[in-house]
Amino acid sequence: MLAARPLRSVCLPCQLRLLALVENNFNGHYRVSIRALPRANNRRPRITTGRSFTTSQLRRTPDEVPRNVGESEPSRSLEHMEEMVRYVRRTFGNSLPEKFLTAEEYTIYERLYGPPLQRIPSEDVVRSLKREEALSESALLEEGADGVPEETRFHDRNTTEAESEMAGLGVPGGGDTIGVEGRSPQEIRALLRLRQDILNAMDALPVEEDPEYGPEETEEGEESEGEGGYEDIEEPNVYTSAESIRTHPHTLAGRSGTSPTTLSLPQANFLAPIESLLSNVKPKHHTASAEKIFGGAGLPWSPFSPASKKHLQQRPIALEASQSHMTDQEGDAFLSCVMPGVYAAVMSTLVEVRKRLGGSWLSELLYKEGGPRLLDAGAGGAGVIAWREVLRAEWERIREKQGKGGPESPPNELPFGKATTITGSEALRHRVSRFMENTTFIPRIPDYVQVSGLAAQGDQSSSASRKQYDIIIAAHTLWPLREDYQRKRQVQNLWSLLNPNGGVLILLEKGLPRGFEAIAGAREMLLSNHISCPEATEYASKDSESTPKGTKETGMIIAPCTNHTKCPMYLMPGLSHSRKDFCHFKQRYIRPPFLQRIMHAVDRNHEDVKFSYLAVQRGRDERATNGLTQGAEAAEAAFSGYGAKPGDKDYQPTHPLSLPRSILPPLKRRKHVIIDVCTPAGKLERWTIPRSFGRQAYRDASKSSWGDLWPLGAKTRVPKNVRLGGKREEMGRGKRREKRVFEVEVGEKGMEGVRELVGWKGKGKKIGGKARKEKAPREITEDSF
């Protein structure tokens, strides 16, 4: 039985370079000048029968003389070297064979892609090349005598004799494989010269572009979007056009997080400056100081939450951007260990806010006079960088929509607006200011809570010079405050700094129970005192009953909640002991090289940062303007599902904020999917979507992720049991139990009675130098037990 299989061929430039390496025993670099063909015509030019070429030795120009590594090639233009570097990138991916590029080409490689993740020994590449050359001809698998498939070779009768000769020499007209093997360095050198003569003759032929195919996009255009690591990483879970066609429109609108799900940090304006600042620090000393600051290996006191450190006491980030003193070692540790994780969490949150508010929100800020105003209140500058990446992506989308294509505009033409960053220490301010332009640095957040009280009493001069921001990113600012009243005062101050005409406040903490409780407490305070709802527009003061009621402001919760009721995971305010379930999400990103060294990472190069967050908007409410419905009615409609597509008779448009959100990773079982959701009615439920419920719903449920909004309903639902813990006193911990002492009376006939001694501390015990008076015994009855 014969079975054909396709065999992979080796490209022509790789064959030449690797054979040259074999000839020189990997001691030098044999350069063969090959002109890069235009990318617009992927098909190689064929040699017509009317033209002939010679295989004799041609007179070489100085540009074609072989050179070693490090020697300059003045005739090679920058475009040719960049084309070769991109070709190597497409061929080998993140790896790079040793001694494969010249010094100039390697410099361009690092500038475009950074250092390679792995260097492949040249011996392994050549060994793989020879195996592929041996299988380069057409092959069939024939069943042998013992039943094991054996490879057999055959010759295609339709192939002409000239094409076979050209295929053997590796000419582009017939094939890219090598059919003739040199058994000595002299034969290999002769074959290389012959191949070079053929290529030189073919280069002299005019290259005609196929009119059917237009010019392809340049590499610069493809890489301009990927510089921020925002939209163009190829992954299995990237939603392509075919995926978009098969997925329901409501499901696409409800998906959360970045696309692709794995985020790449921006190289030009984030990673490269940090690497430059850390270049003067020894990696060993930097790793030791980082582990000492952030709690040892795994950095449990950083934005990360390693699973191996769950048994440790929960603590906030060891370094705060607002702390007044920070050493040089602590400043370096903040850049390398805190900023990457905070950037990933803030970027995920900003993308979710952009999806829920729509493009009109950012478009309004971009066209605003002076641009948007941003306050980074805890990220140390990472929030500013993430915000500018989102603005750049939105600006490019608007230009493309308006038909103003072309190269990307310079950064100074983008309306970044004004940014303010909180940096309390001189060490951190000196480092962050090296790679952040047009940014104001202040040591602490302005306290306007007391000023608001003076303005309410009639002193309007105090609020005349108050600054207001269009967006405030407060990352890791609540948990470090120990007392609850301090956190409430901090949230009230941030709320007063927001623009009352659509300002957005983002609160973010670590994805741990204590971090969630800080966010949930801020949410409860905002709903009770500031954000109004149709049911309640006033709030009563807790100070005294005689104090007049206050009026709430117009506002709404953007994410992650789709309800404005009490949080079902925060039924009891304050700290909860032994809490297992809490609302949090995660964002995966590629670790930078300096963080890889600190983490001693070998197996994987990505990190999942977990966080809890809250995004609210002041001055606008979709429930009043766009007819957004939440509550029990919206929950019932979401359970029934919005399965109809646009164009159907029973199609019903829906708002994403009236849909339930997945609060845990979906359980994808055989023939059914289980999703734990928080409904618009403020209840936790477990929805089951079997295959029998619908092909579209089951298919989208199997592709859903943690944090998505689910619009297609379910077949069954049950209440979700959550482990919220409780107070230490209620759980029998924290309060010391008193000893109970019993006195047994024994007579002639046995035990006659049992009495409990109340308040007994032992005989002879004294308190304050005086003998303790014992209380009278109490009779024990059946009711006592």
Side-chain angles (χ1 to χ4, degrees), residues 678-697:
C678 181
T679 65
K683 296 181 180 180
L684 301 177
E685 297 178 351
R686 171 165 284 188
W687 291 12
T688 303
I689 301 97
R691 184 180 294 179
S692 59
F693 182 68
R695 182 178 180 181
Q696 182 71 58

Side-chain angles (χ1 to χ4, degrees), residues 362-372 395 398 402 404 415:
L362 278 181
S363 300
E364 181 182 351
L365 293 179
L366 288 173
Y367 289 110
K368 179 182 177 181
E369 183 179 359
W395 180 254
I398 295 175
Q402 294 178 349
K404 299 179 181 179

Side-chain angles (χ1 to χ4, degrees), residues 513-767:
R514 295 295 175 265
F516 160 73
E517 289 166 356
I519 296 294
R523 177 185 183 273
E524 184 176 5
M525 192 275 295
L526 289 174
L527 287 178
S528 59
N529 295 343
H530 295 283
I531 299 178
S532 64
C533 59
E535 294 79 10
T537 58
E538 297 181 350
Y539 69 94
S541 177
K542 297 182 180 180
D543 299 336
S544 63
E545 297 181 357
S546 60
T547 305
K549 295 183 178 181
T551 304
K552 296 182 180 180
E553 302 180 47
T554 302
M556 61 175 295
I557 297 179
I558 303 172
C561 308
T562 58
N563 62 83
H564 288 71
T565 60
K566 191 175 184 61
C567 179
M569 288 192 178
Y570 193 70
L571 301 177
M572 181 172 48
L575 302 182
S576 179
H577 185 71
S578 299
R579 175 188 290 272
K580 302 298 181 183
D581 295 328
F582 55 98
C583 181
H584 67 291
F585 306 92
K586 73 174 183 177
Q587 174 62 49
R588 174 170 293 183
Y589 70 97
I590 302 297
R591 291 198 198 113
F594 50 82
L595 187 56
Q596 282 280 93
R597 293 190 294 266
I598 295 175
M599 300 288 291
H600 305 285
V602 178
D603 298 334
R604 60 189 178 95
N605 67 335
H606 62 267
E607 182 73 32
D608 293 333
V609 55
K610 298 181 180 179
F611 58 94
S612 298
Y613 76 99
L614 176 69
V616 296
Q617 189 175 26
R618 182 184 182 187
R620 296 179 183 178
D621 191 357
E622 297 285 339
R623 296 170 294 177
T625 57
N626 294 340
L628 171 63
T629 58
Q630 295 180 348
E633 180 182 355
E636 293 296 332
F639 178 72
S640 301
Y642 299 92
K645 295 184 178 181
D648 298 344
K649 295 181 180 179
D650 53 349
Y651 172 73
Q652 298 178 1
T654 180
H655 198 286
L657 294 181
S658 63
L659 301 176
R661 186 181 294 274
S662 173
I663 58 174
L664 290 173
L667 304 176
K668 301 174 183 179
R669 301 293 185 256
R670 183 179 180 183
K671 296 184 179 181
H672 70 280
V673 180
I674 301 174
I675 303 178
D676 297 318
V677 298
C678 181
T679 65
K683 296 181 180 180
L684 301 177
E685 297 178 351
R686 171 165 284 188
W687 291 12
T688 303
I689 301 97
R691 184 180 294 179
S692 59
F693 182 68
R695 182 178 180 181
Q696 182 71 58
Y698 175 76
R699 189 258 174 199
D700 290 358
S702 62
K703 302 293 183 179
S704 63
S705 302
W706 182 6
D708 291 351
L709 298 173
W710 179 245
L712 300 185
K715 189 173 185 179
T716 60
R717 59 176 175 178
V718 294
K720 168 68 177 176
N721 297 324
V722 291
R723 299 163 294 177
L724 304 181
K727 300 294 184 182
R728 285 181 174 270
E729 293 78 7
E730 297 177 359
M731 302 186 67
R733 300 182 183 181
K735 186 177 180 181
R736 191 172 183 178
R737 295 183 179 180
E738 296 182 359
K739 294 182 179 180
R740 302 180 64 184
V741 181
F742 300 91
E743 188 179 81
V744 181
E745 295 182 358
V746 181
E748 296 179 357
K749 297 182 180 181
M751 186 175 65
E752 296 181 354
V754 180
R755 293 181 298 178
E756 181 181 6
L757 300 180
V758 182
W760 187 81
K761 293 289 184 180
K763 250 184 177 180
K765 298 281 184 177
K766 293 185 178 181
I767 299 177

Side-chain angles (χ1 to χ4, degrees), residues 322-384:
S322 59
Q323 65 185 51
S324 59
H325 178 71
M326 190 178 292
T327 62
D328 293 339
Q329 291 80 7
E330 291 174 344
D332 295 335
F334 188 92
L335 292 181
S336 59
C337 302
V338 177
M339 292 189 70
V342 174
Y343 172 87
V346 171
M347 175 61 75
S348 178
T349 305
L350 288 174
V351 171
E352 181 66 16
V353 172
R354 159 64 178 81
K355 289 182 178 180
R356 302 304 151 234
L357 294 181
S360 59
W361 169 62
L362 278 181
S363 300
E364 181 182 351
L365 293 179
L366 288 173
Y367 289 110
K368 179 182 177 181
E369 183 179 359
R373 298 177 62 94
L374 168 70
L375 174 62
D376 186 349
V384 177

Side-chain angles (χ1 to χ4, degrees), residues 70-256:
E71 295 184 8
S72 62
E73 300 183 22
S75 63
R76 287 174 54 82
S77 63
L78 182 61
E79 296 180 357
H80 288 180
M81 288 189 290
E82 289 183 355
E83 182 68 23
M84 179 57 67
V85 168
R86 295 191 182 95
Y87 180 81
V88 171
R89 180 72 174 187
R90 292 193 301 269
T91 304
F92 299 100
N94 294 330
S95 305
L96 181 65
E98 296 179 352
K99 303 179 182 180
F100 197 78
L101 296 176
T102 62
E104 298 177 354
E105 293 174 346
Y106 185 76
T107 303
I108 297 175
Y109 185 94
E110 284 193 340
R111 176 172 59 83
L112 294 177
Y113 308 107
L117 298 182
Q118 182 182 5
R119 291 184 176 274
I120 307 175
S122 302
E123 293 82 355
D124 297 345
V125 180
V126 175
R127 194 178 301 112
S128 176
L129 174 64
K130 290 185 177 181
R131 285 198 302 266
E132 293 184 0
E133 289 176 356
L135 298 175
S136 60
E137 299 180 1
S138 301
L140 293 177
L141 296 180
E142 182 178 7
E143 186 175 359
D146 54 351
V148 179
E150 298 179 355
E151 183 176 325
T152 178
R153 299 176 182 272
F154 72 97
H155 180 71
D156 192 359
R157 296 180 180 178
N158 298 327
T159 305
T160 61
E161 185 176 355
E163 291 178 348
S164 300
E165 295 178 359
M166 294 175 64
L169 292 175
V171 179
D176 292 339
T177 59
I178 299 177
V180 181
E181 296 183 0
R183 300 181 181 179
S184 64
Q186 291 78 9
E187 293 183 3
I188 294 176
R189 191 178 298 107
L191 289 174
L192 290 175
R193 292 174 181 172
L194 178 60
R195 184 188 298 269
Q196 185 63 38
D197 293 342
I198 298 174
L199 292 176
N200 292 338
M202 294 178 61
D203 288 343
L205 297 177
V207 180
E208 298 180 359
E209 294 187 1
D210 196 338
E212 297 181 1
Y213 303 95
E216 296 184 356
E217 296 182 0
T218 61
E219 286 291 323
E220 289 81 356
E222 297 174 359
E223 294 173 0
S224 61
E225 296 179 357
E227 185 179 0
Y230 189 60
E231 292 182 351
D232 65 342
I233 300 180
E234 295 183 0
E235 291 183 350
N237 53 4
V238 176
Y239 308 129
T240 59
S241 58
E243 178 77 8
S244 302
I245 294 175
R246 298 181 59 187
T247 307
H248 197 280
H250 292 335
T251 306
L252 288 175
R255 282 176 173 165
S256 64

Side-chain angles (χ1 to χ4, degrees), residues 428-444:
L428 181 61
R429 187 182 308 112
H430 173 71
R431 285 163 171 77
V432 175
S433 61
R434 297 278 296 273
F435 56 92
M436 291 185 61
E437 300 178 355
N438 301 327
T439 305
T440 303
F441 298 93
I442 58 178
R444 60 184 177 275

